């Protein structure tokens, strides 16, 4: 019997350590979206789409998620965001959340209105997986191949210890122009390195710039100052980035390292307080440039039929040439309309068809574009 127990225990440990591969999808704004499962007290299940966000301290569910999966844990209050703003939230207990074969029961979380985020997404998310759940796992986030490898090992990664903010989110220490700064490790940010105004002022007065520009961030609809810095200007431990995009974001409480600065894969092991970045063929970290989408739009889901409203068109882009303008409401592209209409389908259709009718509403009038 003793040998049987030892054998079964060995199998169990092997199952835990065996890496599990799980594909994820990019949101339209370039953030990792996972599939998870919620279970109610009565045993009913719901598949949910969740943003994987190391920059959020507590797991959040959208208000649209049924109360069967949660219990209220207190009166509605406000939570402060890392951008300096406040968010109305309701403390809840999530009965059961399952991710990658691991169940977390009676999880303390929050419920909030995520419609602002979902207005920029082709498919709305049901919630955000925060560091309170993420810290229970070791995994590789493979951005290039859109895959998460649960378990595994950090071979090939440059490892660095992380510290934590008061709310439990992970940070690393960077050196920029001989100044040490603390940066949040944030998979919920699609940029590269975003600096507070104070950190940016020091950087800009000392670092060598290659280019200046402006980007419109699809998720926040705000203009930002962007610079592309010279190689080796930003360091983490004994390594540096080959080159990296840096953004100054007004109102930012803490500088942050986004998805673009951790390309093309990241090792996370918060049980041992470490992350690992992949080193490129040149011996330095890679950086992915900021997303410069040719068209920006948000979903108006307040009516019976969702509407896709254009809020920005890149100058000299194909979308500008066919006549789309800010304020237009997309009603149909070729044979696609209604809930099937999305920016992804719009791009696919326009790429595949040399001439296609685009139906829009502009200033209360229905117009056909080609």
């Amino acid at each position: 019997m003793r040998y049987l127990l030892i054998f079964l225990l060995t199998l169990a440990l092997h199952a835990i350590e065996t890496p599990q591969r799980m594909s994820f999808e990019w949101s339209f704004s370039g953030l990792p979206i996972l599939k998870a499962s919620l279970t109610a007290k009565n045993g009913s299940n719901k598949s949910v789409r969740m943003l994987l966000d190391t920059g959020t301290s507590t797991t959040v569910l959208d208000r649209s998620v049924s109360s069967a999966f949660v219990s209220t844990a207190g009166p509605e209050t406000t939570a402060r965001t890392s951008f300096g703003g406040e968010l109305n939230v309701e403390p809840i207990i999530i009965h059961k959340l399952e991710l990658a074969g691991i169940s977390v029961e009676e999880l303390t979380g929050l419920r909030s209105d995520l419609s602002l985020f979902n207005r920029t997404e082709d498919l709305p998310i049901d919630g955000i997986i925060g560091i309170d759940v993420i810290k229970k796992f070791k995994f590789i986030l493979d951005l290039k191949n859109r895959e998460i490898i649960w378990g595994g090992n950090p071979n090939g990664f440059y490892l660095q210890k992380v510290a934590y903010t008061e709310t439990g989110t992970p940070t690393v220490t960077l050196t920029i122009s001989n100044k040490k700064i603390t940066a949040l490790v944030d998979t919920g940010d699609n940029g590269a390195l975003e600096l507070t105004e104070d950190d940016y002022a020091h950087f800009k007065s000392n670092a060598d710039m290659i280019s200046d520009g402006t980007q419109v961030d699809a998720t926040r609809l705000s203009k930002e100052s962007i610079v592309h810095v010279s190689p080796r200007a930003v360091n983490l431990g004994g390594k540096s980035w080959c080159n990296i995009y840096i953004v100054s974001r007004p109102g930012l409480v803490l500088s942050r390292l986004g998805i673009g600065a951790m390309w093309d894969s990241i090792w996370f092991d918060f049980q041992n307080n470490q992350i690992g970045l992949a080193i490129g063929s040149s011996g330095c970290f890679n950086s992915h440039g900021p997303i410069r989408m040719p068209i920006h739009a948000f979903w108006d889901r307040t009516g019976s039929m969702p509407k896709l409203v254009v809020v920005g068109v890149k100058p000299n882009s194909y979308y500008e040439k066919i006549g789309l303008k800010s304020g237009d409401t997309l009603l149909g592209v070729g044979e696609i309309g209604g809930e099937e209409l999305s920016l992804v389908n719009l791009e696919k259709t326009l790429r595949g068809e040399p001439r296609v009718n685009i139906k829009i509403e502009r200033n209360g009038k229905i117009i056909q574009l080609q």
Side-chain angles (χ1 to χ4, degrees), residues 183-235:
L184 183 69
V185 179
D186 192 358
T187 60
D189 193 292
N190 63 3
L193 177 57
E194 300 185 349
L195 298 180
T196 63
E197 291 181 280
D198 288 343
D199 287 343
Y200 183 77
H202 170 83
F203 159 75
K204 194 165 186 178
S205 63
N206 291 277
D208 180 21
M209 309 284 180
I210 292 179
S211 63
D212 259 309
T214 301
Q215 176 194 17
V216 176
D217 185 319
T219 60
R220 300 182 186 89
L221 305 179
S222 62
K223 289 189 175 181
E224 304 165 332
S225 174
I226 290 183
V227 293
H228 183 191
V229 304
S230 61
R232 317 291 177 175
V234 181
N235 299 279

Side-chain angles (χ1 to χ4, degrees), residues 41-313:
K41 287 287 190 181
N42 62 9
S44 61
N45 296 311
K46 175 182 174 63
S47 178
V48 288
R49 300 175 71 253
M50 306 281 283
L51 168 64
L52 184 73
D53 188 0
T54 57
T56 294
S57 59
T58 306
T59 294
V60 181
L61 292 181
D62 185 54
R63 292 191 186 277
S64 62
V65 174
S66 170
S67 295
F69 299 99
V70 302
S71 297
T72 300
E76 187 163 307
T77 182
T78 57
R80 190 169 179 81
T81 71
S82 58
F83 291 97
E86 291 188 340
L87 189 67
N88 292 327
V89 296
E90 175 191 3
I92 58 172
I93 301 296
I94 302 171
H95 297 316
K96 185 177 180 180
L97 172 67
E98 186 170 344
L99 177 68
I102 295 180
S103 298
V104 183
E105 298 187 20
E106 301 305 311
L107 173 68
T108 299
L110 299 171
R111 187 157 56 178
S112 188
D113 182 4
L114 301 179
S115 60
L116 180 61
F117 178 91
N118 284 329
R119 291 174 77 187
T120 66
E121 301 303 317
D122 278 354
L123 293 173
I125 62 170
D126 300 293
I128 301 170
I129 298 175
I131 195 65
D132 54 342
V133 171
I134 297 171
K135 68 183 180 182
K136 302 177 186 296
F137 298 86
K138 317 190 273 192
F139 62 96
I140 296 171
L141 182 60
D142 186 342
L143 304 170
K144 185 176 181 180
N145 296 307
R146 302 186 184 186
E147 187 176 58
I148 294 181
I149 305 171
W150 303 102
N153 60 70
N155 291 345
F157 289 92
Y158 181 75
L159 302 180
Q160 281 290 290
K161 287 291 185 181
V162 296
Y164 298 92
T165 65
E166 292 182 357
T167 59
T169 49
T171 65
V172 291
T173 300
L174 305 178
T175 303
I176 304 179
S177 302
N178 297 318
K179 177 185 179 182
K180 292 186 181 299
I181 69 165
T182 299
L184 183 69
V185 179
D186 192 358
T187 60
D189 193 292
N190 63 3
L193 177 57
E194 300 185 349
L195 298 180
T196 63
E197 291 181 280
D198 288 343
D199 287 343
Y200 183 77
H202 170 83
F203 159 75
K204 194 165 186 178
S205 63
N206 291 277
D208 180 21
M209 309 284 180
I210 292 179
S211 63
D212 259 309
T214 301
Q215 176 194 17
V216 176
D217 185 319
T219 60
R220 300 182 186 89
L221 305 179
S222 62
K223 289 189 175 181
E224 304 165 332
S225 174
I226 290 183
V227 293
H228 183 191
V229 304
S230 61
R232 317 291 177 175
V234 181
N235 299 279
L236 172 64
K239 294 289 182 180
S240 58
W241 274 264
C242 300
N243 42 71
I244 188 171
Y245 285 87
I246 291 184
V247 176
S248 170
R249 192 185 295 280
L252 198 63
V253 177
L254 187 66
S255 293
R256 62 183 60 215
L257 208 59
I259 286 285
M262 297 185 280
W263 203 264
D264 53 15
S265 58
I266 321 157
W267 164 257
F268 291 110
D269 181 3
F270 295 115
Q271 297 171 12
N272 292 305
N273 302 319
Q274 67 178 7
I275 66 165
L277 299 187
I279 299 175
S281 57
S282 300
C284 46
F285 303 131
N286 291 320
S287 176
H288 195 273
I291 296 174
R292 297 178 181 273
M293 292 176 287
I295 184 171
H296 295 272
F298 68 83
W299 282 100
D300 179 358
R301 293 188 169 98
T302 57
S304 57
M305 182 65 70
K307 296 180 181 179
L308 195 55
V309 182
V310 178
V311 294
V313 179

Side-chain angles (χ1 to χ4, degrees), residues 24-40:
F24 69 85
E25 59 182 304
W26 287 117
S27 72
F28 185 72
S29 53
L31 298 173
I33 307 296
L34 311 182
K35 287 186 179 179
S37 175
L38 295 174
T39 303

